[in-house]
Amino acid sequence: MAPAAGSDDPHLQLLDKLDITLSPRMFRNPTWKPPQRRNKNIKQILSDASRREASLLATQNNSGSSTPLPHGSSNTSAAGNSASAQSNIAQAAQNLRTLVLDRSSHNVFSTGPVATYTNIESPPSLHPAHQKHYCDITGLPAPYTDPKTRLRYHNTEVFAVVRGLPQSVAEQYLEARGAHVVLK
């Protein structure tokens, strides 16, 4: 039995009053904005640190205490002499600071090049997990190794070829790869 279509029914009035589909919903604060800070990766952290150090050294080398006076000015008064003495002391302290920083940086980096993401002189990884194995016959990636000949192969077709090779040819393939063992 269908309810009456009139709006006089108190039950329908109550349903319309309690209906949440018509009320506005704020799921998020209207003034909310995503945070402006984002995480940096290690490459960005390293480049920022090296840039900061270079800027610090450049700032120390070009500080106001080590700037010479212009040619037209002269310090003949007693106050001028004390100011020049103070600037000489400040300049000596500045030079000492730069020498100490240079020495400490030479001690840290004297062992050789530092491996970073931006350093092209970094040697390749020798870890076994990072070395790819290639098929001795085809040069394709080789997930398999023949236990009899120790040759690496790509698939079953190449495996049939490897098993059909004489021992001297298999040893020549191993020698070309640098895995040849000579027993005496």
Side-chain angles (χ1 to χ4, degrees), residues 57-75:
L57 286 175
T59 304
Q60 288 175 350
N61 289 338
N62 296 327
S63 67
S65 64
S66 63
T67 305
L69 292 173
H71 291 295
S73 66
S74 63
N75 289 337

Side-chain angles (χ1 to χ4, degrees), residues 113-171:
V114 177
T116 63
Y117 285 108
T118 58
N119 186 359
I120 199 163
E121 296 172 358
S122 299
S125 174
L126 298 176
H127 193 272
H130 297 291
Q131 293 178 351
K132 289 199 106 179
H133 298 293
Y134 295 99
C135 177
D136 291 318
I137 308 297
T138 62
L140 296 170
Y144 313 109
T145 304
D146 180 21
K148 182 179 172 189
T149 61
R150 296 189 329 268
L151 289 177
R152 296 182 183 139
Y153 59 95
H154 178 67
N155 58 13
T156 56
E157 295 172 6
V158 180
F159 179 67
V161 172
V162 167
R163 282 299 171 107
L165 292 175
Q167 186 61 31
S168 61
V169 175
E171 287 177 6

Side-chain angles (χ1 to χ4, degrees), residues 3 11 38 51 77-78 92 101 108 119 126 146 153 174 179:
H11 183 70
R38 65 182 181 96
R51 201 176 310 124
S77 66
L101 281 173
V108 170
N119 186 359
L126 298 176
D146 180 21
Y153 59 95
L174 288 172

Side-chain angles (χ1 to χ4, degrees), residues 19 21 26 36 86 142 168 183:
D19 189 13
T21 58
M26 293 291 189
Q36 296 299 320
Q86 286 178 352
S168 61
L183 296 175

